[in-house]
Amino acid sequence: MAVLMLGIILGVIIAGIFAPVVAPHDPYKTDILNKFAGFSMSYPLGTDHLGRCILSRMIYGIRPTLFLSILTMTGTIFLGMIMGLLAGYFRGFVDEVIMRIVDVMLSFPSQIMVFAIVALLGVDIRNVILANVFIKWAWYARMIRTNVMKYRDKNYILYSKCIGNRERYILFRHLLPSISSELAVLATLDMGWAILNISTLSFLKLGVQPPTPEWGAMLNEAKNVMTTNPVQMIAPGLAIVILVAAFHFLGDALRDALDPKEAEYE
Amino acid sequence: MIRLNNVGVSFRKENQKKIFGKERQQILVDVSMHVKEKECLGILGESGSGKSTMGRVICGLLKPDCGKVEVEKPISIVFQDYTTSANPRFTVKQIISESLIVRERRESIRLDREKEIRKLLELVGLSEEFSLRYPHELSGGQLQRVCIARAVALQPKIILFDESISSLDAYTQVQIMDLLKEIRKKYGLTYVFITHDLSSVTYFCDRVLFLYQGQIVETCEIAELGKVKDEYAKKLLNSVVNLR
């Protein structure tokens, strides 16, 4: 299962990187006479309302969809990790301050906060990423803090403290590797969420702007011709579902693989 | 070397009578003790008597509620549970290196780590090939030896043993104790030896301290063990004799 999912994800990433080679057409080239074309050898998924090749747009759309999601994921995980590590390891005052901020962040409805931030800073994909990181880090900080607390009373960390080793050594050589498996699971699950969120915002015309091909934006373009030319909508919709599901399944498989307790039951 | 004056420690109780109750459980009550240089002090007591808490106070992992703690640094520690006392992601070499790094910084010197590790492994009776193994590839006795090597690598003045040999089998216990005696003689170390096992104390320590319900009830030299006055200490001594 994990291998299959990893295969799908890697395939998509490679297709995205080598888009100019893989895609049969230029994604921006309009051919108004040939709009809403059906399946054919030269247009495997047909054309959209401006006569652009849907498959090419899908393949080029991988770039913003996936790479912006990776950026968002890295940002959230990184911020969450730092905050979670600090709160979980130092406890006391630092923990109180960070966790109360987290509590406040978590009590906002996240989607609406993203809209609010984007509206405030202006419609731009950079603002979307910023807003997503800003909203989502709190959740990860809490998860990572719990994991850190599981390890901070282990004897090898007590030993380090006892002999007066540097905090930096304890945090980055002992604690961080210990929680890395949990981090990997969180990161894969977060990817799915980021893809969905960026596509949603693009669909609402708050994220990636047309004519740049992006799966969410393509869905938006397709909604007017939903009944007459359903392929234009089904293709990006299905792609999003498959990719997000692949990330979630991969996260699940990773958790099973990395959790020693799960392995015992097999 | 070590001096505790009227130390008291308490924890918040887990099962409170009220929802936000603040009841506390007293773990150590007015504990005063001292350890002389190059002495080996045994701390003896049953489970829950506060011996491990006392160990944590001594090595600075726990701040007491009241009282004064004076401990000469550097101090090192060997734990009971060897399965968690070494990072499972570290090799033996890395485990020992951690102490060497701290020592390098303390004395602002550069050490030939490879050589030091070889010497330390030899000291605890392990061959050099162990240095690339992970903790799960070692037996309990071997891992505990690595932990001792790690504690010695720091070149501390004091080493605290928190039930360090209790979870090993009898034969390995004697081996490790002989090893510890030898190390102590070689480096002139001070030992604090926390245990519930009277026989290992008599084999190993100069002086013994009886801890009962968080209080020190009796202190005596090993040679004068027969002359203890306290009821609890007597009971503890008798229970061992009866078993034999």
Side-chain angles (χ1 to χ4, degrees):
Chain A
M1 190 67 163
V3 178
L4 180 71
M5 291 307 147
L6 206 62
I8 293 179
I9 292 167
L10 276 179
V12 170
I13 291 176
I14 289 168
I17 292 171
F18 296 107
V21 186
V22 183
H25 295 276
D26 179 356
Y28 297 107
K29 201 177 131 241
T30 56
D31 182 3
I32 208 79
L33 294 175
N34 198 20
K35 68 177 183 179
F36 301 135
F39 306 129
S40 63
M41 280 307 280
S42 69
Y43 295 105
L45 287 177
T47 56
D48 66 0
H49 59 294
L50 294 174
R52 295 174 297 195
C53 173
I54 293 179
L55 182 68
S56 303
R57 284 180 69 72
M58 292 280 297
I59 291 171
Y60 274 91
I62 294 167
R63 289 179 168 184
T65 312
L66 207 55
F67 296 118
L68 291 176
S69 315
I70 289 174
L71 202 65
T72 314
M73 185 268 288
T74 325
T76 34
I77 291 281
F78 185 73
L79 195 60
M81 184 192 82
I82 298 286
M83 291 302 191
L85 264 182
L86 292 179
Y89 178 68
F90 290 107
R91 305 297 307 275
F93 179 71
V94 182
D95 188 28
E96 279 296 313
V97 171
I98 293 178
M99 289 328 281
R100 290 306 77 80
I101 296 174
V102 165
D103 282 344
V104 172
M105 299 299 301
L106 287 180
S107 50
F108 289 123
S110 60
Q111 209 67 42
I112 296 185
M113 272 304 281
V114 173
F115 293 157
I117 293 170
V118 172
L120 201 71
L121 296 174
V123 175
D124 186 359
I125 192 64
R126 275 170 300 181
N127 294 340
V128 168
I129 291 172
L130 224 70
N132 277 335
V133 171
F134 180 67
I135 286 304
K136 203 68 180 174
W137 73 266
W139 197 71
Y140 290 97
R142 171 154 283 179
M143 304 279 280
I144 288 162
R145 171 176 171 268
T146 320
N147 280 321
V148 168
M149 277 161 62
K150 208 165 61 189
Y151 289 102
R152 73 187 290 274
D153 284 328
K154 289 263 188 248
N155 282 342
Y156 53 86
I157 291 180
L158 291 181
Y159 177 82
S160 279
K161 277 195 202 167
C162 176
I163 64 170
N165 207 343
R166 275 189 208 166
E167 243 107 46
R168 208 173 56 200
Y169 187 96
I170 300 177
L171 284 175
F172 294 109
R173 295 296 302 279
H174 282 315
L175 277 174
L176 203 55
S178 301
I179 60 164
S180 59
S181 58
E182 280 99 345
L183 263 184
V185 175
L186 279 181
T188 28
L189 293 176
D190 188 36
M191 268 304 283
W193 176 84
I195 292 170
L196 270 184
N197 216 344
I198 287 182
S199 295
T200 310
L201 287 164
S202 300
F203 178 75
L204 296 170
K205 296 193 171 167
L206 291 171
V208 177
Q209 295 301 308
T212 315
E214 201 277 345
W215 293 354
M218 285 169 74
L219 274 178
N220 184 41
E221 290 163 5
K223 72 176 190 291
N224 296 329
V225 291
M226 194 166 80
T227 44
T228 50
N229 190 21
V231 177
Q232 197 184 337
M233 196 184 70
I234 289 169
L238 213 56
I240 292 173
V241 171
I242 289 173
L243 194 59
V244 171
F247 271 110
H248 281 171
F249 283 132
L250 181 68
D252 244 18
L254 266 182
R255 182 167 50 208
D256 291 350
L258 296 172
D259 188 356
K261 278 192 295 292
E262 281 290 323
E264 279 170 24
Y265 297 113
E266 281 171 14
Chain B
M1 291 299 272
I2 302 175
R3 186 171 288 280
L4 302 188
N5 278 333
N6 309 92
V7 166
V9 174
S10 64
F11 291 129
R12 193 171 162 273
K13 271 189 187 171
E14 289 287 326
N15 50 343
Q16 298 281 350
K17 288 201 179 95
K18 293 177 198 148
I19 294 178
F20 291 111
K22 287 213 169 67
E23 271 183 90
R24 296 182 80 82
Q25 183 159 16
Q26 199 73 29
I27 307 292
L28 289 179
V29 192
D30 198 25
V31 167
S32 300
M33 56 88 102
H34 70 278
V35 183
K36 291 193 286 282
E37 196 165 348
K38 293 186 186 171
E39 189 182 32
C40 177
L41 176 80
I43 298 177
L44 200 65
E46 56 185 15
S47 318
S49 57
K51 349 183 255 301
S52 284
T53 308
M54 198 160 151
R56 285 182 181 218
V57 169
I58 290 172
C59 64
L61 291 171
L62 194 70
K63 288 237 165 355
D65 300 343
C66 58
K68 234 170 100 182
V69 183
E70 284 172 39
V71 178
E72 222 169 290
K73 300 260 168 179
I75 179 168
S76 196
I77 185 165
V78 181
F79 294 98
Q80 170 180 26
D81 184 5
Y82 47 79
T83 50
T84 63
S85 52
N87 190 336
R89 285 159 205 273
F90 277 19
T91 59
V92 168
K93 198 168 138 188
Q94 287 171 307
I95 293 168
I96 300 177
S97 290
E98 189 184 345
S99 293
L100 292 176
I101 291 167
V102 174
R103 189 174 133 212
E104 276 179 358
R105 204 173 57 241
R106 189 182 75 223
E107 297 172 358
S108 347
I109 47 163
R110 280 238 154 273
L111 291 167
D112 180 0
R113 286 191 203 156
E114 296 277 337
K115 204 177 117 200
E116 290 284 325
I117 289 167
R118 215 178 311 134
K119 260 173 33 189
L120 284 160
L121 283 178
E122 197 187 318
L123 178 76
V124 295
L126 295 175
S127 69
E128 198 191 333
E129 62 188 275
F130 281 96
S131 66
L132 290 176
R133 291 211 200 170
Y134 285 93
H136 65 266
E137 296 170 322
L138 299 173
S139 73
Q142 285 167 340
L143 189 54
Q144 200 60 298
R145 280 166 196 265
V146 171
C147 290
I148 291 166
R150 169 175 80 169
V152 175
L154 188 72
Q155 294 209 339
K157 290 206 173 72
I158 308 164
I159 301 184
L160 184 88
F161 296 92
D162 187 356
E163 302 257 21
S164 302
I165 57 168
S166 308
S167 41
L168 300 171
D169 59 274
Y171 178 65
T172 321
Q173 279 192 7
V174 175
Q175 275 187 327
I176 300 262
M177 275 194 283
D178 287 336
L179 170 69
L180 292 178
K181 272 183 176 173
E182 193 188 312
I183 291 171
R184 186 176 151 218
K185 218 190 286 168
K186 195 167 171 186
Y187 292 99
L189 294 169
T190 309
Y191 280 178
V192 177
F193 197 78
I194 298 172
T195 185
H196 59 252
D197 179 19
L198 185 71
S199 47
S200 59
V201 168
T202 49
Y203 186 71
F204 194 64
C205 298
D206 305 329
R207 200 155 58 92
V208 59
L209 195 147
F210 290 90
L211 205 61
Y212 181 60
Q213 293 187 344
Q215 280 171 304
I216 295 175
V217 288
E218 178 100 38
T219 318
C220 76
E221 301 287 327
I222 283 294
E224 294 162 355
L225 208 54
K227 297 179 194 164
V228 290
K229 289 183 215 79
D230 183 78
E231 279 305 312
Y232 172 70
K234 268 186 197 165
K235 223 168 76 190
L236 208 67
L237 289 177
N238 286 333
S239 66
V240 176
V241 175
N242 285 344
L243 275 175
R244 280 180 179 165

